Amino acid sequence: GGLYIVPLYVILQEHSELKRRSRTIAGNNIVNALFMVISAIATMLLLDNGVRVEQIFALIGLLNALVFAFLYFRFSGDVRTVLAIK
């Protein structure tokens, strides 16, 4: 979780306006809570339909890899600018 959460909050703090920073972080917390509820319901449905725990972990890993690839190619120029990589 720390590999995701810490950089996310750094990006939120650096790219949000000072006057709206607390609202931005609060909004992010609400979205995170929504995704936690959705993932819990999805996991219950998958387990109820006979999917094994190992398969759920494999599915989560695959989805994480896909999201990472999307975000990397979508924002790779921005990341290089923020980190001052040439």
Side-chain angles (χ1 to χ4, degrees), residues 62-75:
L62 177 65
L63 291 173
N64 276 319
L66 292 173
V67 170
F68 170 78
F70 169 75
L71 292 174
Y72 177 78
F73 290 112
R74 173 66 174 87
F75 296 107

Side-chain angles (χ1 to χ4, degrees), residues 12-76:
L12 284 174
Q13 290 176 16
E14 291 211 4
H15 293 285
S16 61
E17 295 179 29
L18 184 59
K19 292 181 179 182
R20 297 175 190 240
R21 187 165 295 153
S22 62
R23 291 181 187 172
T24 302
I25 292 173
N28 178 60
N29 290 337
I30 291 169
V31 171
N32 286 342
L34 177 67
F35 276 111
M36 284 188 273
V37 170
I38 291 170
S39 68
I41 292 170
T43 301
M44 287 188 294
L45 291 173
L46 288 170
L47 288 171
D48 193 43
N49 287 314
V51 178
R52 295 190 335 249
V53 173
E54 298 87 1
Q55 293 171 321
I56 293 174
F57 278 117
L59 178 63
I60 291 170
L62 177 65
L63 291 173
N64 276 319
L66 292 173
V67 170
F68 170 78
F70 169 75
L71 292 174
Y72 177 78
F73 290 112
R74 173 66 174 87
F75 296 107
S76 62

